[in-house]
């Protein structure tokens, strides 16, 4: 990883590192270690009786309930949204595609009844087709 | 130099008709042909000069000159990695084919036709010749899904063929438009052949190219054929489909969309980037909702191919290089995922995520397959040290300067990739192995081998990306020059001029 980052020229140079930020990060870690190492683990501290302290302890022990909050908001939201998106894909996008396919089949089925054997019917169809094509071409020519 | 790459599989087809060849021997012959093809592609790659963006090893023969159809082949930094990857994945797909496959002669002939079609399309430097090769893979793939597929194979195969035929019609119409409206004397590819067209004509023709290749990629909303095709196709066909055939779509977008219409491309680039976001997020969210392992990987492909559109829309040297990396990375990673899903299905007879559990069990489960699956999903989610990271990083780095909002939204898509793949691994491979799966058949080393090969390559190119970048860097810089030129002066960014990758 460091090799890749170096090759991509992504690692900041030492000149860009801010000493104050480094000091604060290291100091906060060191203070935490010092408090943890010097605080005796008394019975009262391990499970206090007062509700406020108990609440505070649980709040810290369960990481401010971030996991449960995350589970009940983001995870549930993503789950619901993904289900909705897949429903849309399956029934709307794919439904339109299948609908077009079905319409083509039904159109073909319906057209077979137009085969009457009368030549004037065929002539009318051809004339209508040419007329529509001509109208479309002249319209598109004007459009361009 | 390039002729054997295209025609070797066709020569090999003749060997399938030799008398006395049963399914097992036919598979050996097919493996030998694909192996030779792959080795030849490596020979070409070793002699390929990555310092230039010019076409190399050009072959030019008059064929149907009055029609403008010439046999013109050539390779550059865009097609070279794809040709090598195709050779490798063809070999892997044939290796993963069951020796007892039904109607083996027809099966391997179809695979070889696809091989010729795909390589020919990547190397063609004539629009009509490209179209012929592009269409050549349509019927073989239809038959591969329709004959050797699952229970709903007819539906899936028909859907595939209708979509792809429509794609072909649009592409052909756009090619004809370029040549007839542009006044070119032949269909020989030239980046300038559409430059004389009005912006309206360029936009209309580019629209045809975008939808035509967008179907093949596939991009939302033209994607619905892909999950069905993957679910019904056998493992080797899924490897070909995801690893090789989808790349024809992205290759077409870059070569014929960006390459022929730089002006129109630059004009609609913000729309393309937004389209990429929709495609990425749609594919990703749909993948999260899946219960079938194969369908999940299929939807993930829709998401990952959207990244290519984002980078192509940005059209900076870095993002262009990212598209090439992403195509190869996705080919290898999705190939690996389908190989592993195939083994799981073969051993457990199910791909249902809610049914499978505890497969990582070291004694009675599939621990090696599970470990490879974890590596594959990490690579797909863009974990550092693997090829997926490099490709996505290049894409985001190259696209951010031009489309920051769209790039950030696509990065959300990458984060969500980790969600669905971790769900997949967590549900199927961790936990207690159910009683029903305690006597799974043993996975032989020969079944693990393709997975190992692909996994090693994913890691190697993840740690040493410049082994591939050196093929494509010059092409990436050259390909986006024309887009950079037509952008308004204010929109010129430092990224338009930067050296891409290696020093």
């Amino acid at each position: 990883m460091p090799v890749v980052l170096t090759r991509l020229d992504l690692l900041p140079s030492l000149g860009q590192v801010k000493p104050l930020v480094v000091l604060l990060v290291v100091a906060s870690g060191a203070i935490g270690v010092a408090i943890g190492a010097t605080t005796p683990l008394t019975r009262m501290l391990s499970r206090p009786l007062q509700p406020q302290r108990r609440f505070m302890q649980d709040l810290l022990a369960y990481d401010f309930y971030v996991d449960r909050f995350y589970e009940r908001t983001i995870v549930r939201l993503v789950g619901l949204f993904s289900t909705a998106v897949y429903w849309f894909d399956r029934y709307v996008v794919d439904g339109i595609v299948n609908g077009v396919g079905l319409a083509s089949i039904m159109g073909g089925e319906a057209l077979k009844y137009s085969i009457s054997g009368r030549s004037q019917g065929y002539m009318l169809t051809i004339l209508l087709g040419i007329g529509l094509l001509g109208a479309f071409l002249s319209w598109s020519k004007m459009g361009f | 130099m390039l002729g054997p790459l295209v025609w070797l599989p066709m020569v090999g087809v003749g060997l399938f008709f030799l008398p006395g060849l049963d399914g097992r021997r036919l598979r050996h012959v097919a493996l030998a042909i694909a192996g030779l093809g792959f080795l030849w592609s490596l020979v070409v790659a070793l002699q390929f000069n990555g310092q230039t963006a010019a076409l190399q090893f050009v072959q030019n023969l008059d064929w149907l000159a009055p029609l403008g159809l010439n046999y013109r082949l050539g390779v550059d930094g865009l097609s070279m990695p794809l040709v090598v990857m195709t050779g490798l994945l063809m070999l892997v797909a044939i290796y993963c084919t069951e020796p007892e496959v039904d109607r083996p002669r027809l099966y391997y002939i179809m695979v070889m036709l696809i091989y010729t079609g795909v390589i020919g399309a990547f190397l063609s430097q004539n629009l009509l010749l490209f179209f012929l090769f592009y269409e050549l893979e349509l019927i073989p793939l239809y038959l591969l899904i329709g004959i050797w597929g699952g229970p709903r194979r007819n539906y899936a195969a028909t859907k595939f063929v209708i979509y792809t035929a429509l794609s072909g019609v649009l592409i052909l119409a756009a090619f004809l438009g370029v040549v007839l409206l542009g006044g070119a004397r032949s269909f020989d590819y030239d980046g300038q052949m559409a430059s004389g067209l009005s912006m309206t004509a360029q936009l209309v023709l580019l629209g045809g190219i975008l939808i035509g290749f967008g179907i093949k990629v596939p991009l939302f909303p033209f994607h619905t054929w892909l999950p069905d095709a993957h679910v019904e196709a056998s493992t080797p066909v899924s490897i070909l489909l995801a690893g090789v055939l989808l790349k024809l779509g992205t290759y077409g977008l870059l070569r014929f969309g960006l390459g022929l219409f730089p002006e129109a491309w630059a004009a609609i680039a913000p729309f393309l980037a937004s389209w990429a976001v929709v495609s990425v997020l749609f594919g990703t969210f749909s993948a999260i909702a899946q219960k079938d392992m194969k369908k999940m990987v299929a939807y993930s492909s829709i998401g990952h191919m959207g990244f290519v559109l984002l980078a192509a829309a940005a059209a900076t040297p870095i993002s262009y290089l990212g598209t090439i990396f992403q195509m190869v990375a996705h080919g290898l990673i999705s190939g690996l995922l389908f190989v592993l899903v195939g083994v799981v299905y073969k051993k457990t007879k199910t791909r249902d995520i809610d049914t499978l559990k505890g497969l990582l069990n070291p004694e009675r489960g599939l621990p090696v397959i599970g470990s490879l699956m974890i590596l594959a999903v990490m690579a797909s989610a863009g974990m550092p040290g693997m090829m997926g990271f490099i490709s996505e990083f290049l894409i985001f780095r190259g696209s951010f300067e031009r489309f920051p909002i769209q790039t950030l939204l696509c990065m959300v898509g990458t984060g969500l990739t980790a969600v669905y793949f971790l769900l997949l691994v967590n549900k199927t491979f961790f936990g207690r192995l159910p009683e029903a799966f305690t006597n799974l058949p043993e996975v032989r080393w020969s079944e693990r081998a393709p997975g190992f090969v692909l996994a090693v390559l994913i890691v190697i190119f993840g740690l040493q990306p410049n082994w591939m970048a050196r093929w494509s860097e010059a092409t990436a810089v050259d390909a986006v020059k024309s887009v950079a030129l037509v952008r308004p002066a204010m929109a010129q960014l430092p990224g338009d001029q930067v050296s891409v990758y290696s020093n």
Side-chain angles (χ1 to χ4, degrees), chain A residues 66-127:
Chain A
V66 169
D67 283 358
R68 283 182 214 181
F69 175 77
Y70 181 73
E71 185 80 31
R72 287 175 192 178
T73 54
I74 309 283
V75 173
R76 190 168 291 182
L77 205 68
V78 168
L80 283 173
F81 189 65
S82 62
T83 311
V85 167
Y86 181 54
W87 180 91
F88 181 79
D89 187 47
R90 195 171 166 192
Y91 294 104
V92 179
V93 182
D94 208 22
I96 290 171
V97 172
N98 288 334
V100 170
L102 201 65
S104 310
I105 293 168
M106 287 171 70
E109 287 289 322
L111 272 176
K112 74 182 178 191
Y113 297 110
S114 67
I115 301 167
S116 60
R118 291 181 181 172
S119 55
Q120 60 265 45
Y122 301 139
M123 284 304 292
L124 182 66
T125 311
I126 292 167
L127 278 174

Side-chain angles (χ1 to χ4, degrees), chain B residues 239-257:
Chain B
I239 295 168
L240 292 182
L241 198 54
V244 176
L245 291 157
L246 304 191
K247 307 302 168 294
L248 281 176
T250 44
Y251 172 82
L253 285 179
L254 292 171
R255 177 77 75 199
F256 304 110

